[in-house]
Amino acid sequence: MTLAETSIDPGQCPFCGTELASPGAGFMRHVETEPECRDAFETWRDRVTDDMRGGWAG
């Protein structure tokens, strides 16, 4: 890992750092209830959609 890379903790929201109840469903519940994280997630998803063959299924 280079110095510019950061590790990702699946137990934390990547947008605000809040501890999540679970990496999958807990993240989605968090994004649904936190407007700033929801907006950041939507922006991220819009940016990666074209990078994924067949589109984004999530």
Side-chain angles (χ1 to χ4, degrees):
M1 185 180 328
T2 66
L3 294 176
E5 293 178 355
T6 58
S7 62
I8 298 171
D9 180 354
Q12 287 184 328
C13 174
F15 306 112
C16 71
T18 297
E19 207 54 43
L20 302 171
S22 68
F27 172 73
M28 293 311 298
R29 281 191 297 273
H30 172 74
V31 167
E32 290 170 357
T33 60
E34 297 296 326
E36 288 183 29
C37 295
R38 180 180 55 241
D39 292 345
F41 178 65
E42 291 297 326
T43 298
W44 172 83
R45 189 164 57 179
D46 287 344
R47 289 180 179 164
V48 300
T49 296
D50 292 336
D51 294 340
M52 301 179 139
R53 182 179 231 161
W56 175 257

